[in-house]
Amino acid sequence: NAGVTQTPKFQVLKTGQSMTLQCAQDMNHNSMYWYRQDPGMGLRLIYYSASEGTTDKGEVPNGYNVSRLNKREFSLRLESAAPSQTSVYFCASSPHTGTGGLGEQYFGPGTRLTVT
Amino acid sequence: AQKITQTQPGMFVQEKEAVTLDCTYDTSDQSYGLFWYKQPSSGEMIFLIYQGSYDEQNATEGRYSLNFQKARKSANLVISASQLGDSAMYFCAMRYTWGGRRALTFGSGTRLQVQP
């Protein structure tokens, strides 16, 4: 099992450019998440998907869009990148949804994004 | 609103000694879960240990134990017999639910350095 995979690992964008971060999991998990991690801070939730076809905004959704393409894949799109979006982006998945189970999440290796 | 506070930005410990990483939380929910994650310099997030709010006994996983004091709203991580490979960032997180959905909120982390 590869677990949670993310592409690319590194990306440099110019202000105003767009890009999509890809995430896939092979653990048959229902829930998937996108977080950002800024220096000296913990992870903050951008978007969440409880199942295919459903998405919800998290704590910091502005400037981002997501697509839950199928059960395995959850992509994050920056339509017009800004320097404030320079961060490390983590995708995660969880076997649990709703109120059942522990709710532990398994993380991908992260994408380090720099916007100049 | 849920909040996790980690007041120790950095900690040092000698190899083979025990160390406690502090975590306090704030929530009005009756049912919640507390997690610890390890983030080594390579960047991935590794799930270490879980404590449910209704669990009466402290969780243990190998050299990791969680000192859960519900009345004080604290969930400290204890690492026994520290090893050089324990050097990493450690994040405390809390599961919260809203409208049948669930996510994690993270503290700002503690950087642990194990010295030989």
Side-chain angles (χ1 to χ4, degrees):
Chain A
N1 278 355
V4 181
T5 57
Q6 292 183 236
T7 55
K9 285 188 166 51
F10 301 94
Q11 184 71 50
V12 179
L13 292 178
K14 289 185 171 18
T15 297
Q17 287 185 319
S18 63
M19 78 161 295
T20 299
L21 308 185
Q22 306 287 354
C23 173
Q25 52 91 10
D26 62 1
M27 297 177 282
N28 201 35
H29 288 173
N30 288 315
S31 300
M32 295 187 74
Y33 306 81
W34 276 105
Y35 292 91
R36 61 178 286 172
Q37 183 181 28
D38 299 312
M41 298 181 69
L43 280 67
R44 292 184 293 169
L45 182 66
I46 306 172
Y47 268 95
Y48 161 58
S49 172
S51 61
E52 182 182 348
T54 68
T55 60
D56 288 288
K57 294 179 180 179
E59 183 185 355
V60 287
N62 290 347
Y64 305 96
N65 286 303
V66 290
S67 295
R68 183 73 182 269
L69 304 169
N70 47 55
K71 192 171 186 179
R72 289 188 64 248
E73 297 171 292
F74 188 38
S75 62
L76 178 73
R77 183 160 178 84
L78 288 71
E79 290 291 353
S80 179
S84 61
Q85 294 178 304
T86 293
S87 190
V88 180
Y89 291 85
F90 286 97
C91 178
S93 70
S94 175
H96 308 123
T97 189
T99 56
L102 303 184
E104 76 277 17
Q105 296 179 15
Y106 299 89
F107 287 80
T111 294
R112 189 172 295 274
L113 176 68
T114 302
V115 183
T116 60
Chain B
Q2 291 75 19
K3 186 175 180 182
I4 294 283
T5 302
Q6 295 180 254
T7 57
Q8 306 155 313
M11 291 278 287
F12 289 90
V13 66
Q14 290 294 122
E15 200 177 2
K16 300 180 185 176
E17 291 186 351
V19 62
T20 298
L21 306 184
D22 293 342
C23 172
T24 58
Y25 61 91
D26 190 21
T27 181
S28 56
D29 293 346
Q30 295 300 308
S31 176
Y32 52 88
L34 296 154
F35 301 80
W36 279 91
Y37 282 83
K38 174 183 179 182
Q39 186 179 43
S41 57
S42 51
E44 72 270 31
M45 297 284 287
I46 303 167
F47 168 48
L48 293 178
I49 195 167
Y50 167 83
Q51 179 85 38
S53 57
Y54 294 119
D55 295 339
E56 294 185 352
Q57 292 200 329
N58 288 340
T60 59
E61 290 287 347
R63 293 185 299 108
Y64 303 109
S65 61
L66 200 153
N67 184 0
F68 181 48
Q69 298 186 47
K70 194 171 183 177
R72 298 180 63 183
K73 294 192 173 179
S74 74
N76 299 338
L77 177 70
V78 181
I79 305 174
S80 62
S82 297
Q83 301 172 356
L84 295 178
D86 294 334
S87 294
M89 281 289 287
Y90 288 82
F91 291 96
C92 180
M94 180 168 61
R95 181 192 68 225
Y96 64 97
T97 59
W98 81 104
R101 309 169 187 84
R102 53 170 44 179
L104 297 181
T105 188
F106 286 80
S108 56
T110 295
R111 181 171 299 281
L112 177 66
Q113 295 187 57
V114 181
Q115 297 176 319

